[in-house]
Amino acid sequence: VQLQASGGGLVQAGGSLRLSCAASGRSFSTYALAWFRQTPGREREFVAGIASRGGRTYFVESVQGRFDISRDNAQNMMYLQMNSLNPGDTAVYYCAAKDGLVGSFWSSYPYGGQGTQVTVSS
């Protein structure tokens, strides 16, 4: 499966952005999906994940209550709604897919797309 993230941009603190991840290939609905982010010099960090059938979601504590993850299996799309953004959310955001359960390590995802830059100004 091939993935492409989009929707990043520059936003002021307190604002919102919605990231999209478009997937191509078969069996999209069977994959666990996730969003990761990375800043220079740091490891790629798990942000949010959603189970294959869309029933269960997972979030890193720092975004809990501010971000929401969703998927549309009919359209092969995944989304990350980001609200109440702060400068600490500035990063390149990546989407990823894997078989099985949602995991929190980038290395466990065999499918990952190019990122989209999110910049939050103070």
Side-chain angles (χ1 to χ4, degrees):
V1 62
Q2 294 183 324
L3 305 168
Q4 180 62 56
S6 62
L10 174 64
V11 64
Q12 289 188 330
S16 298
L17 278 176
R18 188 195 195 203
L19 304 184
S20 299
C21 178
S24 60
R26 298 178 178 178
S27 304
F28 175 81
S29 63
T30 67
Y31 291 117
L33 304 174
W35 288 96
F36 288 78
R37 65 187 180 186
Q38 188 172 27
T39 55
R42 300 191 66 177
E43 295 285 330
R44 201 161 292 189
E45 173 193 34
F46 174 85
V47 176
I50 186 166
S52 60
R53 303 301 177 185
R56 187 163 187 176
T57 58
Y58 306 83
F59 299 92
V60 69
E61 186 176 355
S62 61
V63 309
Q64 188 80 38
R66 300 188 297 121
F67 289 13
D68 190 29
I69 186 172
S70 60
R71 64 191 294 167
D72 183 341
N73 288 336
Q75 299 294 325
N76 281 14
M77 295 291 294
M78 175 178 62
Y79 304 98
L80 184 69
Q81 178 65 43
M82 304 186 296
N83 301 321
S84 301
L85 286 161
N86 61 63
D89 297 315
T90 295
V92 178
Y93 284 72
Y94 300 86
C95 55
K98 66 185 294 290
D99 291 309
L101 302 177
V102 172
S104 59
F105 294 97
W106 177 259
S107 59
S108 70
Y109 288 79
Y111 309 110
Q114 292 186 336
T116 184
Q117 176 72 48
V118 172
T119 303
V120 184
S121 63
S122 57

